[in-house]
Amino acid sequence: MRTPIIAGNWKLNMNPEQTAEFVASIKNELPESSKVESVICAPAVDLDALKKAAEGSELHVGAENAYFETEGAFTGETSPKVLNEMGIDYCIIGHSERREYFHETDEDINKKAKVLFANNVTPIVCCGESLETREANKQEEWVVGQIKADLDGLTAEQVSNLVIAYEPIWAIGTGKTASSEQAEEMCKTIRETVKDLYDDETAENVRIQYGGSVNPANVKELMGKPNIDGGLVGGASLKPDSYLALVNYQD
Ligand code: PGA
């Protein structure tokens, strides 16, 4: 059985003080990790505060990005090795904002996934189509292409532990959620792609999140779909009450 995983993606919001306050206000009301895994992915400058504040609680912590080298002359980058040393569990890679504004390619994302695994940090690999691609009815082809390129060369064991986030770009931060049917359809396609690339067991194990305007009002319906194992949540993860409503969606 796949454990549901709800991850906040704070993006470029919050400072260390706000991070500590936020975590202090939610840490005693999180579901048990065996029921629902609660994750917050924060900017690199907040990770130390996030990790310290989460100590002894059910909260898992994640970064929003990392580089595909672990050390050297790469000004401004974040090392996967140091994320591991800090006890960071997850790292988002390939978010559409990074692909668009920072020109990240599938090749970069694939290299990042490999280096993160080598350093015991679990990647949350994002994929998803633009509105233009969906309007041209090319979304499946697009997302399958991203998955094949991003996972290239990963082992079945790695992919079994991976998290994939399907985030249609037209639904991110727009208040326009994909319908639960549209989200399920693509998450199913992604699972079938993993099955084609690997095997049944790997496809059964990989956790697939939906992301794009997930909120406390729609989370339950989305999570009720057989191929949706979690949510990657931006805006609605920024307030403690809303975050708690998301992770406690089963109550
Ligand atoms: P949103 O962002 O929930 O604000 O739409 C989701 C994301 O970008 O991960």
Side-chain angles (χ1 to χ4, degrees), residues 21 52 69 116 126 147 168 171 212 218 220 233 240 250:
E21 270 172 32
K52 284 184 180 138
E69 296 288 347
L116 284 164
C126 301
I147 293 298
N218 61 25
K220 205 166 180 162
V233 191
Q250 290 180 348

Side-chain angles (χ1 to χ4, degrees), residues 27-78:
K27 68 190 273 186
N28 295 325
E29 291 173 67
L30 298 170
E32 278 174 34
S33 292
S34 55
K35 264 176 60 191
V36 177
E37 219 179 298
S38 310
V39 184
I40 289 178
C41 299
V45 286
D46 297 330
L47 289 176
D48 186 46
L50 179 65
K51 180 68 191 165
K52 284 184 180 138
E55 199 97 10
S57 78
E58 298 284 343
L59 186 66
H60 295 251
V61 295
E64 297 175 12
N65 181 39
Y67 196 46
F68 52 71
E69 296 288 347
T70 55
E71 57 190 36
F74 305 105
T75 303
E77 291 295 340
T78 298

Side-chain angles (χ1 to χ4, degrees), residues 9 11 95-97 167 171-175 211-214 232-236:
N9 172 13
K11 308 193 179 184
H95 191 281
S96 58
E97 287 151 16
E167 299 203 305
I172 296 177
T174 57
S213 300
V214 176
L232 184 57
V233 191

Side-chain angles (χ1 to χ4, degrees), residues 22 33 65 92 96 100 103 113-114 146 151 164-165 172 189 191 193 200 210 217 224 239 249:
F22 188 108
S33 292
N65 181 39
I92 299 172
S96 58
E100 183 180 348
H103 314 293
K114 287 176 180 157
Q146 286 182 319
L151 271 47
I164 296 174
I172 296 177
T189 299
R191 199 174 304 285
T193 305
D200 280 335
Y210 164 76
K239 293 269 182 307
Y249 74 92

Side-chain angles (χ1 to χ4, degrees), residues 17-190:
E17 201 180 339
Q18 292 164 327
T19 301
E21 270 172 32
F22 188 108
V23 175
S25 70
I26 61 158
K27 68 190 273 186
N28 295 325
E29 291 173 67
L30 298 170
E32 278 174 34
S33 292
S34 55
K35 264 176 60 191
V36 177
E37 219 179 298
S38 310
V39 184
I40 289 178
C41 299
V45 286
D46 297 330
L47 289 176
D48 186 46
L50 179 65
K51 180 68 191 165
K52 284 184 180 138
E55 199 97 10
S57 78
E58 298 284 343
L59 186 66
H60 295 251
V61 295
E64 297 175 12
N65 181 39
Y67 196 46
F68 52 71
E69 296 288 347
T70 55
E71 57 190 36
F74 305 105
T75 303
E77 291 295 340
T78 298
S79 166
K81 180 165 167 271
V82 178
L83 292 181
N84 182 35
E85 287 163 0
M86 290 174 75
I88 303 301
D89 308 295
Y90 292 97
C91 181
I92 299 172
I93 52 174
H95 191 281
S96 58
E97 287 151 16
R98 296 217 53 93
R99 292 179 190 256
E100 183 180 348
Y101 308 139
F102 304 97
H103 314 293
E104 279 188 18
T105 63
D106 285 318
E107 198 184 337
D108 296 332
I109 295 154
N110 178 250
K111 285 194 215 163
K112 290 181 178 196
K114 287 176 180 157
V115 177
L116 284 164
F117 271 124
N119 286 280
N120 298 314
V121 179
T122 303
I124 299 177
V125 178
C126 301
C127 58
E129 81 285 357
S130 64
L131 186 58
E132 206 184 351
T133 303
R134 183 159 280 263
E135 281 172 352
N137 202 27
K138 295 238 159 55
Q139 67 273 15
E140 289 215 356
E141 185 182 323
W142 177 264
V143 170
V144 168
Q146 286 182 319
I147 293 298
K148 285 187 175 162
D150 297 347
L151 271 47
D152 186 46
L154 295 182
T155 66
E157 195 191 339
Q158 288 172 330
V159 177
S160 285
N161 291 312
L162 189 71
V163 180
I164 296 174
Y166 167 57
E167 299 203 305
I169 299 168
W170 47 273
I172 296 177
T174 57
K176 203 173 153 191
T177 325
S179 70
S180 55
E181 288 76 24
Q182 286 172 320
E184 164 63 16
E185 197 178 28
M186 189 64 86
C187 290
K188 184 164 180 250
T189 299
I190 293 169

